[in-house]
Amino acid sequence: MKTQSVLVLGNGPINMDISSEVNHFDRVVRFNFCSGFPEHLGEKCTDLWLSSRGKQAKKLAENFPKFNMENLQSVVLTEPAPNPVKQHFFKTIKRKGKIDFSNDIIKNIENKHIVSRLDKQYRRDHLIDLLKLGKPDHKPVCPSSGLLAIAHFLERGHKVTIVGFGFQGWKRHPWRLEKKKISQWVEQGNVRWLDLDSMPDC
């Protein structure tokens, strides 16, 4: 597999104009609503990682972001495939955080062949790896999509650059441990932060 340059663009606040820099990467990874595709974050998107369960997924199913899908190479649903029996139960008791909306989300993707899912074991393996770095602040459910995306591209030998990671949000992601892990990757030379010092302010 050819080594590619990959920008993993987190949903944290970015106040610099990185639009021209974004286009220089072979692949650009975005998440969920893709930070709304504001002009200063560019338009390129080759890989889209999406929540398929819960409130965020419901919003995606009802109001999918509009963007040019010509360059889209992969769409990854970050929750494992749903169990039909459990889904019926969750819908009956209106357990909103557990309801899967993947079918409605996939309808918005023109090329269905580029859609894949993360499996339980992949998420579990990376959570176990993170827990080796210390005790989390809260009982974790799984790593964040951002951490999993970075790992995914590193495992395939690509050069990964990141921006827009604030290490905060849903308390069931082990943010402090994720920050440690990414710092390790940076120190090892596997990941680099996008240099924002030379970027113009918005």
Side-chain angles (χ1 to χ4, degrees), residues 1-175:
M1 182 183 293
K2 179 184 176 182
T3 299
Q4 295 180 304
S5 61
V6 179
L7 176 65
V8 182
L9 183 59
N11 283 335
I14 303 170
N15 299 318
M16 305 291 181
D17 185 347
I18 64 171
S19 54
S20 60
E21 190 77 7
V22 165
N23 291 327
H24 292 157
F25 287 87
D26 296 319
R27 301 180 76 153
V28 178
V29 186
R30 299 182 190 247
F31 302 88
N32 295 323
F33 286 99
C34 320
S35 300
F37 281 103
E39 187 175 339
H40 73 284
L41 298 186
E43 296 181 355
K44 189 170 185 177
C45 179
T46 60
D47 298 82
L48 191 55
W49 286 51
L50 303 173
S51 297
S52 57
R53 196 170 297 172
K55 294 179 181 179
Q56 179 88 277
K58 185 175 187 294
K59 291 178 181 178
L60 282 168
E62 295 173 347
N63 188 23
F64 198 81
K66 305 296 181 184
F67 68 99
N68 186 348
M69 294 189 186
E70 288 183 8
N71 295 321
L72 201 57
Q73 298 179 35
S74 78
V75 175
V76 177
L77 302 180
T78 58
E79 277 82 23
N83 179 298
V85 175
K86 288 184 177 180
Q87 282 298 302
H88 177 74
F89 174 71
F90 292 142
K91 290 176 182 177
T92 300
I93 66 172
K94 298 182 180 180
R95 184 82 178 274
K96 296 179 181 179
K98 295 288 188 177
I99 297 175
D100 187 88
F101 295 91
S102 54
N103 290 336
D104 292 323
I105 290 172
I106 292 171
K107 289 177 183 177
N108 295 282
I109 308 300
E110 296 169 7
N111 181 2
K112 305 297 188 288
H113 298 292
I114 66 173
V115 180
S116 63
R117 282 184 180 275
L118 297 184
D119 60 34
K120 289 182 180 179
Q121 192 61 49
Y122 184 82
R123 301 202 315 177
R124 185 179 297 116
D125 287 346
H126 281 284
L127 179 58
I128 291 171
D129 185 55
L130 287 171
L131 292 175
K132 294 175 183 177
L133 300 177
K135 185 178 179 180
D137 297 324
H138 303 278
K139 184 178 180 180
V141 172
C142 62
S144 69
S145 299
L147 186 285
L148 293 171
I150 295 169
H152 171 87
F153 286 99
L154 287 178
E155 289 161 6
R156 285 153 181 76
H158 297 311
K159 297 178 179 178
V160 177
T161 299
I162 62 174
V163 68
F165 281 75
F167 305 106
Q168 58 185 341
W170 189 42
K171 70 178 183 180
R172 297 305 180 188
H173 293 319
W175 295 114

